Structure formats: structure tokens, C-alpha cells
Amino acid sequence: MCYKLSHTPWYKNSIRSQAWLRYKNANGADIYVGMNPLKQDASTRTKDDIETIRHLYIDLDHGGSDALEAIKNSDLVPQPNYVLNTSHEKFQVVWKVEGVALEEAEGLQHAMVREFGGDPAATDSTRVLRMPGFANKKYDQDFYVQAGMESTETYRLRDFKVPMESPDAPRHHHEETARSHRAPGTTLSQSEHDWAYAKRALARGDDPEEVIRRIADYRGDDKSDPGYYARHTVSKAQDDLQRKSVAVGEPSGEDPDPTQEQTQSP
């Protein structure tokens, strides 16, 4: 359950609200905080009520430690400001930002889910995350949320290099069709982004079933059978990686496909 504090002076709210929240937490309530401030007169928590975007985030609910390590070592995103450990092997990663529009924020969060894995439902700008120091009440035994600070920077859109889907990019064309008809320099289709993500994830050793789950979750809203689509995408990516591996180790004598990247042995 979420509660909104009254507009009383901060010093009164600070003491009273902390005592009240700890009481609620001790008696079974989960405690969350909104990542983006609401307008002064807001009575609900919808996108229209968001005053400005202050944070970007990703909820790592599967493969937490590995996904967190991938984020910290990636050149596609800056170092997070905060990492919350919300339960065993589950993390919430937060970046402070300025000058980012709501649509850009949600697009980036979708892109980070696609790149690193995470909860595709936790990409809306109205999201609330857990409060450090309070207990996660979802499990039989309370897990107290811990937070670590990684950076004090405030980031802008240009600091995030993870590829976002263009609003004008086609979402329903098969990747081979899109590739054959695309002029040089134009935007990749979403299917091509999915296929490229599958290849990167498999190449770094991610479990194929986990990659399938991530893609199916991400494409659940616009595919009639996202599970089949995701499995087909990952299967094609595995075949492509296998062909390149064979081409490097055991030349087959076949002419290389000029539309594909070629890998050469050192």
C-alpha cells in the first residue's frame, strides 16, 4: 500500500512520518518511495501527475548478481548512483538524471531491460521502489533492504548509449525482410534489436532459456505468441553463432554471406 504525506513542514513530517512508516512496516506493510516527484496538486499517481523525471532505474529480478556486474562493466550506461539489495539475488539499480523527458525515460528503461535483463513491468515513470532500511515483507522471513552509493553524478540523456527503439521503426517485420529492404544508415527494426540482443547474450554465456524469457517478457504486448517468437529468435541467434564458430575453426569452402559480419581468427 502507498501513502502520501500531507503538506506539513518537513521537520514535522521527518519525525512523525518515520515513526509512522516504521510502525506500518513492523505490522506487515511494505514501504516504497516514488522515483519521480508528483505535481503539487496531484491526487493520483499517473503519468499525467509526474512533474519531472529525476531518476532512471531497472529492477533485476532474475540473475541479479550477474546482471548487476554486467551493468557496472558496460560502456552503454554510466555507473549507477544507487544499488538497492531488495532480497536474495534481487537488486534495484538507480541513476539520477536531469533534462530527460518522460517518453525518453521509459524508452531507456525498456532498452536497459532488453540489454541487461530485468523486470519489463518496472519501466513506467510512476514506478515506486523499496525504501532502504525497511523490511521486504514478501517472504516468510523479513529481508531488510540495503542500499549502496556508487556515484554522485547527475546524468543526462547523452550519457546512456544503450540502443533505444525509434518511434518510427517498424515493430512487426521479420528481421530478414527488414534487413533486405533497409537503406544504409536507417533505424533497425525491433526484431533486429531482439536478434542482436540474443546474439550478445548468448555469446557472453547467458542461459538460452533465460534469454528467451527476457525477450518474451519484453515483446508480450505486441506479439500474439511471444514465447514462440522469443524461442525462434534465440534459435536463429544460436544457429548464426554456431555457423560463425565453425567458419573460424573449420573453413567450409563456402562463399561468405556479405550481409553478415565475418569473424576471423587472430
Side-chain angles (χ1 to χ4, degrees), residues 103-104 106-112 114 161-173 187-194 218-219 221-223 229:
E103 294 80 7
E104 293 169 332
E106 294 190 346
L108 264 176
Q109 284 159 182
H110 276 292
M112 288 191 290
R114 184 175 64 243
K161 312 299 183 185
V162 60
M164 284 197 297
E165 179 190 359
S166 165
D168 299 322
R171 291 183 65 91
H172 303 287
H173 291 175
T187 305
L188 294 175
S189 73
Q190 182 59 45
S191 294
E192 288 177 294
H193 278 306
D194 296 338
Y218 185 72
R219 299 305 298 274
D221 291 339
D222 65 340
K223 290 290 181 183
Y229 165 79

PDB file of all heavy atoms in Angstrom, residues 103-104 106-112 114 161-173 187-194 218-219 221-223 229:
ATOM      1  N   GLU A 103       8.873  10.254 -22.035  1.00  0.00           N
ATOM      2  CA  GLU A 103       8.926   9.226 -23.078  1.00  0.00           C
ATOM      3  C   GLU A 103      10.352   8.701 -23.250  1.00  0.00           C
ATOM      4  O   GLU A 103      10.560   7.506 -23.475  1.00  0.00           O
ATOM      5  CB  GLU A 103       8.420   9.790 -24.407  1.00  0.00           C
ATOM      6  CG  GLU A 103       6.941  10.153 -24.412  1.00  0.00           C
ATOM      7  CD  GLU A 103       6.664  11.503 -23.756  1.00  0.00           C
ATOM      8  OE1 GLU A 103       7.644  12.221 -23.418  1.00  0.00           O
ATOM      9  OE2 GLU A 103       5.483  11.845 -23.585  1.00  0.00           O
ATOM     10  N   GLU A 104      11.341   9.584 -23.131  1.00  0.00           N
ATOM     11  CA  GLU A 104      12.737   9.156 -23.243  1.00  0.00           C
ATOM     12  C   GLU A 104      13.117   8.255 -22.068  1.00  0.00           C
ATOM     13  O   GLU A 104      13.824   7.252 -22.255  1.00  0.00           O
ATOM     14  CB  GLU A 104      13.650  10.378 -23.287  1.00  0.00           C
ATOM     15  CG  GLU A 104      13.486  11.224 -24.533  1.00  0.00           C
ATOM     16  CD  GLU A 104      14.193  12.571 -24.447  1.00  0.00           C
ATOM     17  OE1 GLU A 104      14.354  13.085 -23.316  1.00  0.00           O
ATOM     18  OE2 GLU A 104      14.562  13.101 -25.503  1.00  0.00           O
ATOM     19  N   GLU A 106      11.137   6.275 -20.255  1.00  0.00           N
ATOM     20  CA  GLU A 106      10.538   4.945 -20.378  1.00  0.00           C
ATOM     21  C   GLU A 106      11.170   4.163 -21.525  1.00  0.00           C
ATOM     22  O   GLU A 106      11.352   2.948 -21.430  1.00  0.00           O
ATOM     23  CB  GLU A 106       9.033   5.083 -20.548  1.00  0.00           C
ATOM     24  CG  GLU A 106       8.367   5.661 -19.301  1.00  0.00           C
ATOM     25  CD  GLU A 106       6.854   5.597 -19.327  1.00  0.00           C
ATOM     26  OE1 GLU A 106       6.279   5.354 -20.410  1.00  0.00           O
ATOM     27  OE2 GLU A 106       6.232   5.800 -18.256  1.00  0.00           O
ATOM     28  N   GLY A 107      11.537   4.860 -22.610  1.00  0.00           N
ATOM     29  CA  GLY A 107      12.230   4.186 -23.703  1.00  0.00           C
ATOM     30  C   GLY A 107      13.576   3.642 -23.266  1.00  0.00           C
ATOM     31  O   GLY A 107      13.958   2.522 -23.618  1.00  0.00           O
ATOM     32  N   LEU A 108      14.315   4.432 -22.475  1.00  0.00           N
ATOM     33  CA  LEU A 108      15.611   3.977 -21.975  1.00  0.00           C
ATOM     34  C   LEU A 108      15.455   2.792 -21.026  1.00  0.00           C
ATOM     35  O   LEU A 108      16.249   1.848 -21.050  1.00  0.00           O
ATOM     36  CB  LEU A 108      16.313   5.121 -21.251  1.00  0.00           C
ATOM     37  CG  LEU A 108      17.326   5.934 -22.050  1.00  0.00           C
ATOM     38  CD1 LEU A 108      17.853   7.091 -21.223  1.00  0.00           C
ATOM     39  CD2 LEU A 108      18.469   5.057 -22.525  1.00  0.00           C
ATOM     40  N   GLN A 109      14.448   2.837 -20.188  1.00  0.00           N
ATOM     41  CA  GLN A 109      14.250   1.748 -19.239  1.00  0.00           C
ATOM     42  C   GLN A 109      13.865   0.455 -19.941  1.00  0.00           C
ATOM     43  O   GLN A 109      14.327  -0.630 -19.572  1.00  0.00           O
ATOM     44  CB  GLN A 109      13.232   2.177 -18.173  1.00  0.00           C
ATOM     45  CG  GLN A 109      13.863   3.134 -17.177  1.00  0.00           C
ATOM     46  CD  GLN A 109      12.910   4.006 -16.396  1.00  0.00           C
ATOM     47  OE1 GLN A 109      13.357   4.826 -15.613  1.00  0.00           O
ATOM     48  NE2 GLN A 109      11.617   3.857 -16.594  1.00  0.00           N
ATOM     49  N   HIS A 110      13.041   0.546 -20.986  1.00  0.00           N
ATOM     50  CA  HIS A 110      12.758  -0.630 -21.811  1.00  0.00           C
ATOM     51  C   HIS A 110      14.037  -1.162 -22.447  1.00  0.00           C
ATOM     52  O   HIS A 110      14.269  -2.375 -22.499  1.00  0.00           O
ATOM     53  CB  HIS A 110      11.748  -0.276 -22.899  1.00  0.00           C
ATOM     54  CG  HIS A 110      10.318  -0.336 -22.453  1.00  0.00           C
ATOM     55  ND1 HIS A 110       9.695  -1.515 -22.120  1.00  0.00           N
ATOM     56  CD2 HIS A 110       9.386   0.643 -22.295  1.00  0.00           C
ATOM     57  CE1 HIS A 110       8.446  -1.273 -21.767  1.00  0.00           C
ATOM     58  NE2 HIS A 110       8.236   0.033 -21.858  1.00  0.00           N
ATOM     59  N   ALA A 111      14.862  -0.241 -22.955  1.00  0.00           N
ATOM     60  CA  ALA A 111      16.097  -0.657 -23.617  1.00  0.00           C
ATOM     61  C   ALA A 111      17.052  -1.327 -22.643  1.00  0.00           C
ATOM     62  O   ALA A 111      17.727  -2.310 -22.992  1.00  0.00           O
ATOM     63  CB  ALA A 111      16.764   0.560 -24.266  1.00  0.00           C
ATOM     64  N   MET A 112      17.125  -0.828 -21.403  1.00  0.00           N
ATOM     65  CA  MET A 112      18.011  -1.449 -20.419  1.00  0.00           C
ATOM     66  C   MET A 112      17.506  -2.830 -20.015  1.00  0.00           C
ATOM     67  O   MET A 112      18.310  -3.744 -19.774  1.00  0.00           O
ATOM     68  CB  MET A 112      18.165  -0.530 -19.208  1.00  0.00           C
ATOM     69  CG  MET A 112      19.005   0.704 -19.501  1.00  0.00           C
ATOM     70  SD  MET A 112      19.494   1.661 -18.024  1.00  0.00           S
ATOM     71  CE  MET A 112      17.921   2.362 -17.522  1.00  0.00           C
ATOM     72  N   ARG A 114      15.935  -4.817 -22.025  1.00  0.00           N
ATOM     73  CA  ARG A 114      16.299  -5.657 -23.160  1.00  0.00           C
ATOM     74  C   ARG A 114      17.791  -5.992 -23.149  1.00  0.00           C
ATOM     75  O   ARG A 114      18.186  -7.124 -23.470  1.00  0.00           O
ATOM     76  CB  ARG A 114      15.938  -4.940 -24.466  1.00  0.00           C
ATOM     77  CG  ARG A 114      16.197  -5.770 -25.726  1.00  0.00           C
ATOM     78  CD  ARG A 114      15.717  -5.057 -26.983  1.00  0.00           C
ATOM     79  NE  ARG A 114      16.450  -3.826 -27.203  1.00  0.00           N
ATOM     80  CZ  ARG A 114      15.902  -2.604 -27.208  1.00  0.00           C
ATOM     81  NH1 ARG A 114      14.611  -2.454 -26.966  1.00  0.00           N
ATOM     82  NH2 ARG A 114      16.629  -1.531 -27.425  1.00  0.00           N
ATOM     83  N   LYS A 161      24.116   5.080 -23.711  1.00  0.00           N
ATOM     84  CA  LYS A 161      24.377   4.653 -25.090  1.00  0.00           C
ATOM     85  C   LYS A 161      23.579   3.416 -25.486  1.00  0.00           C
ATOM     86  O   LYS A 161      23.670   2.969 -26.636  1.00  0.00           O
ATOM     87  CB  LYS A 161      25.868   4.348 -25.275  1.00  0.00           C
ATOM     88  CG  LYS A 161      26.806   5.413 -24.732  1.00  0.00           C
ATOM     89  CD  LYS A 161      26.631   6.750 -25.402  1.00  0.00           C
ATOM     90  CE  LYS A 161      27.648   7.773 -24.865  1.00  0.00           C
ATOM     91  NZ  LYS A 161      27.414   9.122 -25.425  1.00  0.00           N
ATOM     92  N   VAL A 162      22.835   2.849 -24.559  1.00  0.00           N
ATOM     93  CA  VAL A 162      22.071   1.637 -24.875  1.00  0.00           C
ATOM     94  C   VAL A 162      21.075   1.964 -25.991  1.00  0.00           C
ATOM     95  O   VAL A 162      20.391   2.990 -25.935  1.00  0.00           O
ATOM     96  CB  VAL A 162      21.366   1.097 -23.621  1.00  0.00           C
ATOM     97  CG1 VAL A 162      20.398   2.093 -23.032  1.00  0.00           C
ATOM     98  CG2 VAL A 162      20.674  -0.211 -23.897  1.00  0.00           C
ATOM     99  N   PRO A 163      21.027   1.150 -27.059  1.00  0.00           N
ATOM    100  CA  PRO A 163      20.172   1.491 -28.208  1.00  0.00           C
ATOM    101  C   PRO A 163      18.695   1.453 -27.850  1.00  0.00           C
ATOM    102  O   PRO A 163      18.197   0.481 -27.302  1.00  0.00           O
ATOM    103  CB  PRO A 163      20.524   0.421 -29.246  1.00  0.00           C
ATOM    104  CG  PRO A 163      21.122  -0.702 -28.473  1.00  0.00           C
ATOM    105  CD  PRO A 163      21.787  -0.087 -27.286  1.00  0.00           C
ATOM    106  N   MET A 164      18.017   2.553 -28.156  1.00  0.00           N
ATOM    107  CA  MET A 164      16.574   2.634 -27.957  1.00  0.00           C
ATOM    108  C   MET A 164      15.876   2.430 -29.280  1.00  0.00           C
ATOM    109  O   MET A 164      16.390   2.786 -30.331  1.00  0.00           O
ATOM    110  CB  MET A 164      16.172   4.003 -27.392  1.00  0.00           C
ATOM    111  CG  MET A 164      16.467   4.190 -25.936  1.00  0.00           C
ATOM    112  SD  MET A 164      15.539   5.591 -25.246  1.00  0.00           S
ATOM    113  CE  MET A 164      16.191   6.952 -26.179  1.00  0.00           C
ATOM    114  N   GLU A 165      14.673   1.866 -29.213  1.00  0.00           N
ATOM    115  CA  GLU A 165      13.851   1.717 -30.402  1.00  0.00           C
ATOM    116  C   GLU A 165      13.363   3.081 -30.860  1.00  0.00           C
ATOM    117  O   GLU A 165      12.898   3.890 -30.064  1.00  0.00           O
ATOM    118  CB  GLU A 165      12.649   0.824 -30.101  1.00  0.00           C
ATOM    119  CG  GLU A 165      11.739   0.659 -31.307  1.00  0.00           C
ATOM    120  CD  GLU A 165      10.449  -0.014 -30.910  1.00  0.00           C
ATOM    121  OE1 GLU A 165      10.306  -0.344 -29.730  1.00  0.00           O
ATOM    122  OE2 GLU A 165       9.600  -0.190 -31.784  1.00  0.00           O
ATOM    123  N   SER A 166      13.493   3.379 -32.141  1.00  0.00           N
ATOM    124  CA  SER A 166      12.950   4.609 -32.685  1.00  0.00           C
ATOM    125  C   SER A 166      11.431   4.524 -32.757  1.00  0.00           C
ATOM    126  O   SER A 166      10.883   3.483 -33.102  1.00  0.00           O
ATOM    127  CB  SER A 166      13.503   4.849 -34.098  1.00  0.00           C
ATOM    128  OG  SER A 166      12.748   5.825 -34.775  1.00  0.00           O
ATOM    129  N   PRO A 167      10.694   5.603 -32.447  1.00  0.00           N
ATOM    130  CA  PRO A 167       9.235   5.572 -32.561  1.00  0.00           C
ATOM    131  C   PRO A 167       8.763   5.272 -33.978  1.00  0.00           C
ATOM    132  O   PRO A 167       7.651   4.814 -34.179  1.00  0.00           O
ATOM    133  CB  PRO A 167       8.814   6.987 -32.139  1.00  0.00           C
ATOM    134  CG  PRO A 167       9.943   7.490 -31.320  1.00  0.00           C
ATOM    135  CD  PRO A 167      11.184   6.877 -31.921  1.00  0.00           C
ATOM    136  N   ASP A 168       9.622   5.539 -34.973  1.00  0.00           N
ATOM    137  CA  ASP A 168       9.228   5.319 -36.358  1.00  0.00           C
ATOM    138  C   ASP A 168       9.663   3.959 -36.889  1.00  0.00           C
ATOM    139  O   ASP A 168       9.378   3.607 -38.022  1.00  0.00           O
ATOM    140  CB  ASP A 168       9.837   6.402 -37.263  1.00  0.00           C
ATOM    141  CG  ASP A 168       9.354   7.791 -36.877  1.00  0.00           C
ATOM    142  OD1 ASP A 168       8.169   7.907 -36.513  1.00  0.00           O
ATOM    143  OD2 ASP A 168      10.150   8.731 -36.934  1.00  0.00           O
ATOM    144  N   ALA A 169      10.395   3.189 -36.066  1.00  0.00           N
ATOM    145  CA  ALA A 169      10.896   1.904 -36.555  1.00  0.00           C
ATOM    146  C   ALA A 169       9.779   0.889 -36.643  1.00  0.00           C
ATOM    147  O   ALA A 169       8.919   0.821 -35.776  1.00  0.00           O
ATOM    148  CB  ALA A 169      11.981   1.374 -35.603  1.00  0.00           C
ATOM    149  N   PRO A 170       9.739   0.055 -37.702  1.00  0.00           N
ATOM    150  CA  PRO A 170       8.701  -0.972 -37.810  1.00  0.00           C
ATOM    151  C   PRO A 170       8.870  -2.021 -36.722  1.00  0.00           C
ATOM    152  O   PRO A 170       9.964  -2.429 -36.417  1.00  0.00           O
ATOM    153  CB  PRO A 170       8.956  -1.585 -39.197  1.00  0.00           C
ATOM    154  CG  PRO A 170      10.385  -1.286 -39.488  1.00  0.00           C
ATOM    155  CD  PRO A 170      10.695   0.025 -38.820  1.00  0.00           C
ATOM    156  N   ARG A 171       7.756  -2.455 -36.096  1.00  0.00           N
ATOM    157  CA  ARG A 171       7.817  -3.403 -34.997  1.00  0.00           C
ATOM    158  C   ARG A 171       7.405  -4.810 -35.393  1.00  0.00           C
ATOM    159  O   ARG A 171       7.589  -5.746 -34.624  1.00  0.00           O
ATOM    160  CB  ARG A 171       6.902  -2.935 -33.849  1.00  0.00           C
ATOM    161  CG  ARG A 171       7.399  -1.700 -33.156  1.00  0.00           C
ATOM    162  CD  ARG A 171       6.484  -1.358 -31.999  1.00  0.00           C
ATOM    163  NE  ARG A 171       6.530  -2.388 -30.963  1.00  0.00           N
ATOM    164  CZ  ARG A 171       7.360  -2.373 -29.943  1.00  0.00           C
ATOM    165  NH1 ARG A 171       8.233  -1.425 -29.823  1.00  0.00           N
ATOM    166  NH2 ARG A 171       7.320  -3.339 -29.049  1.00  0.00           N
ATOM    167  N   HIS A 172       6.821  -4.997 -36.571  1.00  0.00           N
ATOM    168  CA  HIS A 172       6.230  -6.298 -36.869  1.00  0.00           C
ATOM    169  C   HIS A 172       6.827  -6.960 -38.118  1.00  0.00           C
ATOM    170  O   HIS A 172       6.300  -7.958 -38.576  1.00  0.00           O
ATOM    171  CB  HIS A 172       4.716  -6.150 -37.049  1.00  0.00           C
ATOM    172  CG  HIS A 172       4.045  -5.553 -35.852  1.00  0.00           C
ATOM    173  ND1 HIS A 172       3.859  -6.236 -34.683  1.00  0.00           N
ATOM    174  CD2 HIS A 172       3.539  -4.324 -35.637  1.00  0.00           C
ATOM    175  CE1 HIS A 172       3.254  -5.472 -33.793  1.00  0.00           C
ATOM    176  NE2 HIS A 172       3.058  -4.305 -34.349  1.00  0.00           N
ATOM    177  N   HIS A 173       7.911  -6.429 -38.672  1.00  0.00           N
ATOM    178  CA  HIS A 173       8.532  -7.053 -39.822  1.00  0.00           C
ATOM    179  C   HIS A 173       9.555  -8.077 -39.363  1.00  0.00           C
ATOM    180  O   HIS A 173      10.293  -7.834 -38.412  1.00  0.00           O
ATOM    181  CB  HIS A 173       9.235  -6.011 -40.702  1.00  0.00           C
ATOM    182  CG  HIS A 173       8.251  -5.110 -41.398  1.00  0.00           C
ATOM    183  ND1 HIS A 173       8.642  -4.036 -42.154  1.00  0.00           N
ATOM    184  CD2 HIS A 173       6.903  -5.116 -41.443  1.00  0.00           C
ATOM    185  CE1 HIS A 173       7.574  -3.421 -42.633  1.00  0.00           C
ATOM    186  NE2 HIS A 173       6.514  -4.068 -42.210  1.00  0.00           N
ATOM    187  N   THR A 187      17.163   3.147 -39.226  1.00  0.00           N
ATOM    188  CA  THR A 187      16.990   2.526 -37.912  1.00  0.00           C
ATOM    189  C   THR A 187      16.677   1.038 -38.022  1.00  0.00           C
ATOM    190  O   THR A 187      15.916   0.613 -38.870  1.00  0.00           O
ATOM    191  CB  THR A 187      15.838   3.228 -37.172  1.00  0.00           C
ATOM    192  OG1 THR A 187      16.108   4.623 -37.126  1.00  0.00           O
ATOM    193  CG2 THR A 187      15.703   2.698 -35.760  1.00  0.00           C
ATOM    194  N   LEU A 188      17.271   0.243 -37.126  1.00  0.00           N
ATOM    195  CA  LEU A 188      16.962  -1.177 -37.069  1.00  0.00           C
ATOM    196  C   LEU A 188      15.529  -1.389 -36.615  1.00  0.00           C
ATOM    197  O   LEU A 188      14.994  -0.615 -35.828  1.00  0.00           O
ATOM    198  CB  LEU A 188      17.901  -1.878 -36.091  1.00  0.00           C
ATOM    199  CG  LEU A 188      19.393  -1.937 -36.429  1.00  0.00           C
ATOM    200  CD1 LEU A 188      20.128  -2.563 -35.268  1.00  0.00           C
ATOM    201  CD2 LEU A 188      19.641  -2.696 -37.703  1.00  0.00           C
ATOM    202  N   SER A 189      14.917  -2.459 -37.094  1.00  0.00           N
ATOM    203  CA  SER A 189      13.602  -2.824 -36.592  1.00  0.00           C
ATOM    204  C   SER A 189      13.738  -3.410 -35.195  1.00  0.00           C
ATOM    205  O   SER A 189      14.824  -3.822 -34.767  1.00  0.00           O
ATOM    206  CB  SER A 189      12.943  -3.849 -37.519  1.00  0.00           C
ATOM    207  OG  SER A 189      13.567  -5.106 -37.372  1.00  0.00           O
ATOM    208  N   GLN A 190      12.615  -3.481 -34.471  1.00  0.00           N
ATOM    209  CA  GLN A 190      12.654  -4.056 -33.129  1.00  0.00           C
ATOM    210  C   GLN A 190      13.067  -5.522 -33.180  1.00  0.00           C
ATOM    211  O   GLN A 190      13.789  -6.006 -32.298  1.00  0.00           O
ATOM    212  CB  GLN A 190      11.292  -3.915 -32.455  1.00  0.00           C
ATOM    213  CG  GLN A 190      11.271  -4.442 -31.027  1.00  0.00           C
ATOM    214  CD  GLN A 190      12.285  -3.730 -30.148  1.00  0.00           C
ATOM    215  OE1 GLN A 190      12.383  -2.513 -30.210  1.00  0.00           O
ATOM    216  NE2 GLN A 190      13.034  -4.481 -29.356  1.00  0.00           N
ATOM    217  N   SER A 191      12.632  -6.256 -34.210  1.00  0.00           N
ATOM    218  CA  SER A 191      13.015  -7.659 -34.332  1.00  0.00           C
ATOM    219  C   SER A 191      14.525  -7.798 -34.484  1.00  0.00           C
ATOM    220  O   SER A 191      15.136  -8.721 -33.940  1.00  0.00           O
ATOM    221  CB  SER A 191      12.300  -8.301 -35.524  1.00  0.00           C
ATOM    222  OG  SER A 191      10.917  -8.363 -35.312  1.00  0.00           O
ATOM    223  N   GLU A 192      15.136  -6.873 -35.239  1.00  0.00           N
ATOM    224  CA  GLU A 192      16.597  -6.917 -35.384  1.00  0.00           C
ATOM    225  C   GLU A 192      17.290  -6.593 -34.062  1.00  0.00           C
ATOM    226  O   GLU A 192      18.323  -7.178 -33.739  1.00  0.00           O
ATOM    227  CB  GLU A 192      17.030  -5.943 -36.475  1.00  0.00           C
ATOM    228  CG  GLU A 192      16.666  -6.428 -37.876  1.00  0.00           C
ATOM    229  CD  GLU A 192      17.036  -5.412 -38.938  1.00  0.00           C
ATOM    230  OE1 GLU A 192      16.447  -4.321 -38.950  1.00  0.00           O
ATOM    231  OE2 GLU A 192      17.931  -5.715 -39.742  1.00  0.00           O
ATOM    232  N   HIS A 193      16.735  -5.654 -33.299  1.00  0.00           N
ATOM    233  CA  HIS A 193      17.281  -5.373 -31.972  1.00  0.00           C
ATOM    234  C   HIS A 193      17.214  -6.628 -31.100  1.00  0.00           C
ATOM    235  O   HIS A 193      18.163  -6.961 -30.390  1.00  0.00           O
ATOM    236  CB  HIS A 193      16.499  -4.243 -31.301  1.00  0.00           C
ATOM    237  CG  HIS A 193      16.918  -2.868 -31.714  1.00  0.00           C
ATOM    238  ND1 HIS A 193      18.225  -2.436 -31.639  1.00  0.00           N
ATOM    239  CD2 HIS A 193      16.200  -1.829 -32.202  1.00  0.00           C
ATOM    240  CE1 HIS A 193      18.300  -1.175 -32.054  1.00  0.00           C
ATOM    241  NE2 HIS A 193      17.079  -0.790 -32.412  1.00  0.00           N
ATOM    242  N   ASP A 194      16.083  -7.345 -31.157  1.00  0.00           N
ATOM    243  CA  ASP A 194      15.919  -8.561 -30.357  1.00  0.00           C
ATOM    244  C   ASP A 194      16.936  -9.618 -30.763  1.00  0.00           C
ATOM    245  O   ASP A 194      17.528 -10.292 -29.910  1.00  0.00           O
ATOM    246  CB  ASP A 194      14.497  -9.120 -30.521  1.00  0.00           C
ATOM    247  CG  ASP A 194      13.429  -8.186 -29.981  1.00  0.00           C
ATOM    248  OD1 ASP A 194      13.762  -7.337 -29.130  1.00  0.00           O
ATOM    249  OD2 ASP A 194      12.273  -8.305 -30.418  1.00  0.00           O
ATOM    250  N   TYR A 218       9.555  -8.904 -22.840  1.00  0.00           N
ATOM    251  CA  TYR A 218       9.647  -7.583 -23.452  1.00  0.00           C
ATOM    252  C   TYR A 218       8.665  -7.411 -24.601  1.00  0.00           C
ATOM    253  O   TYR A 218       8.104  -6.337 -24.798  1.00  0.00           O
ATOM    254  CB  TYR A 218      11.080  -7.353 -23.950  1.00  0.00           C
ATOM    255  CG  TYR A 218      11.301  -5.966 -24.495  1.00  0.00           C
ATOM    256  CD1 TYR A 218      11.357  -4.874 -23.640  1.00  0.00           C
ATOM    257  CD2 TYR A 218      11.447  -5.749 -25.859  1.00  0.00           C
ATOM    258  CE1 TYR A 218      11.554  -3.604 -24.127  1.00  0.00           C
ATOM    259  CE2 TYR A 218      11.638  -4.479 -26.360  1.00  0.00           C
ATOM    260  CZ  TYR A 218      11.702  -3.407 -25.480  1.00  0.00           C
ATOM    261  OH  TYR A 218      11.890  -2.143 -25.974  1.00  0.00           O
ATOM    262  N   ARG A 219       8.417  -8.492 -25.355  1.00  0.00           N
ATOM    263  CA  ARG A 219       7.551  -8.401 -26.533  1.00  0.00           C
ATOM    264  C   ARG A 219       6.134  -8.891 -26.267  1.00  0.00           C
ATOM    265  O   ARG A 219       5.359  -9.120 -27.201  1.00  0.00           O
ATOM    266  CB  ARG A 219       8.152  -9.198 -27.694  1.00  0.00           C
ATOM    267  CG  ARG A 219       9.523  -8.725 -28.165  1.00  0.00           C
ATOM    268  CD  ARG A 219       9.565  -7.250 -28.541  1.00  0.00           C
ATOM    269  NE  ARG A 219       8.687  -6.930 -29.645  1.00  0.00           N
ATOM    270  CZ  ARG A 219       9.024  -7.044 -30.944  1.00  0.00           C
ATOM    271  NH1 ARG A 219      10.212  -7.492 -31.276  1.00  0.00           N
ATOM    272  NH2 ARG A 219       8.172  -6.699 -31.887  1.00  0.00           N
ATOM    273  N   ASP A 221       3.520  -7.463 -25.245  1.00  0.00           N
ATOM    274  CA  ASP A 221       2.411  -6.589 -25.598  1.00  0.00           C
ATOM    275  C   ASP A 221       2.114  -6.534 -27.085  1.00  0.00           C
ATOM    276  O   ASP A 221       1.034  -6.113 -27.488  1.00  0.00           O
ATOM    277  CB  ASP A 221       2.684  -5.155 -25.106  1.00  0.00           C
ATOM    278  CG  ASP A 221       2.647  -5.055 -23.587  1.00  0.00           C
ATOM    279  OD1 ASP A 221       2.033  -5.944 -22.968  1.00  0.00           O
ATOM    280  OD2 ASP A 221       3.228  -4.104 -23.050  1.00  0.00           O
ATOM    281  N   ASP A 222       3.066  -6.930 -27.923  1.00  0.00           N
ATOM    282  CA  ASP A 222       2.840  -6.748 -29.363  1.00  0.00           C
ATOM    283  C   ASP A 222       3.111  -8.002 -30.188  1.00  0.00           C
ATOM    284  O   ASP A 222       3.249  -7.934 -31.402  1.00  0.00           O
ATOM    285  CB  ASP A 222       3.689  -5.574 -29.888  1.00  0.00           C
ATOM    286  CG  ASP A 222       5.182  -5.836 -29.787  1.00  0.00           C
ATOM    287  OD1 ASP A 222       5.575  -6.708 -28.990  1.00  0.00           O
ATOM    288  OD2 ASP A 222       5.949  -5.168 -30.481  1.00  0.00           O
ATOM    289  N   LYS A 223       3.179  -9.164 -29.532  1.00  0.00           N
ATOM    290  CA  LYS A 223       3.291 -10.436 -30.238  1.00  0.00           C
ATOM    291  C   LYS A 223       2.157 -11.349 -29.777  1.00  0.00           C
ATOM    292  O   LYS A 223       1.914 -11.478 -28.572  1.00  0.00           O
ATOM    293  CB  LYS A 223       4.643 -11.101 -29.966  1.00  0.00           C
ATOM    294  CG  LYS A 223       5.837 -10.395 -30.619  1.00  0.00           C
ATOM    295  CD  LYS A 223       5.802 -10.564 -32.123  1.00  0.00           C
ATOM    296  CE  LYS A 223       6.999  -9.890 -32.774  1.00  0.00           C
ATOM    297  NZ  LYS A 223       6.938  -9.980 -34.246  1.00  0.00           N
ATOM    298  N   TYR A 229       7.846 -16.562 -30.544  1.00  0.00           N
ATOM    299  CA  TYR A 229       8.702 -15.571 -31.197  1.00  0.00           C
ATOM    300  C   TYR A 229      10.081 -15.535 -30.537  1.00  0.00           C
ATOM    301  O   TYR A 229      11.121 -15.532 -31.220  1.00  0.00           O
ATOM    302  CB  TYR A 229       8.042 -14.190 -31.129  1.00  0.00           C
ATOM    303  CG  TYR A 229       8.979 -13.061 -31.444  1.00  0.00           C
ATOM    304  CD1 TYR A 229       9.308 -12.737 -32.751  1.00  0.00           C
ATOM    305  CD2 TYR A 229       9.566 -12.322 -30.404  1.00  0.00           C
ATOM    306  CE1 TYR A 229      10.194 -11.703 -33.029  1.00  0.00           C
ATOM    307  CE2 TYR A 229      10.445 -11.287 -30.678  1.00  0.00           C
ATOM    308  CZ  TYR A 229      10.756 -10.980 -31.989  1.00  0.00           C
ATOM    309  OH  TYR A 229      11.638  -9.955 -32.263  1.00  0.00           O
TER     310      TYR A 229
END
